[in-house]
Amino acid sequence: MITHLELLNTKALQIFSQGLQPLFRPICRNTARSDVMKLYGEEKTRMMHFLESIEGRIAITTDMWTANYQKKGYMTVTAHFNDDSWQLQSRLLRFIYVPCPHTTEKLTNVLMNSLLDWNIDKKLSTLTVDNCSTNNCMIDLMVDKLPFDSLILGRSLFHMRCAAHILNLIVRSGLDVFGHGIEKVRNSCRFWTATPKRHDTFQKNAKCENVSCKKNLVVDCKT
């Protein structure tokens, strides 16, 4: 639903645009949505034909992502393959909302439907996922749904564990040893970057102590 503020902003944009060019006639949101979906359909058809023409296999990576402001879960499905020049290519196939609860069966169905929708279920090489029990169970269900003769080496190479996630777990485990001190640094950065006034005060204090540094305080990303 469009709010009053959004309506005012839209009207103001129309007035501003017509002031620059009186002949400008903005389109409605329904027309914009229709154009975007039409373009998406054309690009999807082109990409499907391209994937079908690939003689090699396609590796899939998938992950769940939760939007902080919506508290909703989304699944991404990305295809990786080598083109005719033997260059690694990656294409994001799906970014789809997955309603709660995120059970193994639901995640499996969403992923499987995505593969069937793109007609690549018989061209898979590997499936890379994070190291969690839900994904382990999802792999077992995926193997049962896929044709046995379509996977290489009797499906033994189908399940790939995300190396970046493994390294992340190792680093987090190591940081837990002195996590109390790290949390103090994080809290200090949050405090001094909360307002412009605090940031300026921090810069003045650093200058008084003859601390020379051109970088600003940044709160790190735990992931």
Side-chain angles (χ1 to χ4, degrees):
M1 181 178 295
I2 300 178
T3 64
H4 293 293
L5 180 59
E6 290 172 332
L7 285 173
L8 291 174
N9 291 338
T10 303
K11 188 63 177 178
L13 178 60
Q14 293 176 0
I15 296 174
F16 173 76
S17 301
Q18 291 176 354
L20 296 176
Q21 174 53 267
L23 298 179
F24 175 74
R25 293 294 182 268
I27 61 176
C28 66
R29 64 180 184 276
N30 292 329
T31 302
R33 180 183 184 279
S34 177
D35 291 343
V36 169
M37 295 305 298
K38 181 181 179 181
L39 179 62
Y40 169 76
E42 294 173 352
E43 289 295 320
K44 180 180 179 181
T45 301
R46 183 184 64 82
M47 181 54 60
M48 288 183 67
H49 291 160
F50 178 67
L51 293 178
E52 291 175 357
S53 66
I54 297 175
E55 297 183 0
R57 290 181 175 268
I58 299 173
I60 297 295
T61 57
T62 182
D63 194 11
M64 288 296 299
W65 173 76
T66 301
N68 291 331
Y69 64 97
Q70 287 184 327
K71 302 302 180 182
K72 293 183 178 180
Y74 296 86
M75 174 184 285
T76 58
V77 181
T78 308
H80 311 271
F81 53 90
N82 290 322
D83 59 16
D84 295 336
S85 301
W86 204 247
Q87 297 295 319
L88 179 62
Q89 303 287 338
S90 298
R91 297 292 187 275
L92 179 63
L93 303 183
R94 295 295 301 273
F95 188 92
I96 183 172
Y97 167 61
V98 182
C100 291
H102 297 154
T103 61
T104 302
E105 292 77 11
K106 180 174 292 186
L107 296 179
T108 302
N109 291 333
V110 172
L111 178 57
M112 192 66 197
N113 290 336
S114 299
L115 300 179
L116 293 172
D117 185 41
W118 283 85
N119 197 26
I120 58 174
D121 54 301
K122 295 182 180 180
K123 300 185 65 174
L124 301 180
S125 59
T126 60
L127 176 61
T128 303
V129 292
D130 284 348
N131 301 276
C132 65
S133 56
T134 302
N135 285 336
N136 293 336
C137 297
M138 183 181 70
I139 291 293
D140 294 336
L141 294 179
M142 287 289 298
V143 168
D144 293 336
K145 292 179 178 292
L146 294 170
F148 180 82
D149 56 352
S150 67
L151 299 177
I152 57 179
L153 294 180
R155 309 177 182 181
S156 60
L157 297 180
F158 181 63
H159 184 189
M160 290 291 162
R161 301 179 182 275
C162 179
H165 187 238
I166 294 175
L167 291 175
N168 180 268
L169 294 176
I170 295 173
V171 172
R172 284 191 181 188
S173 179
L175 292 177
D176 286 342
V177 176
F178 44 92
H180 182 67
I182 294 178
E183 195 60 32
K184 285 186 176 181
V185 175
R186 285 197 180 109
N187 291 335
S188 178
C189 290
R190 293 190 188 101
F191 176 83
W192 290 112
T193 58
T195 63
K197 184 177 180 180
R198 290 181 184 177
H199 183 267
D200 292 341
T201 302
F202 181 85
Q203 295 289 348
K204 292 179 181 179
N205 291 336
K207 188 175 182 180
C208 292
E209 295 295 332
N210 295 323
V211 178
S212 177
C213 184
K214 297 181 180 180
K215 296 182 179 180
N216 293 324
L217 291 176
V218 178
V219 179
D220 69 319
C221 175
K222 295 183 179 181
T223 304

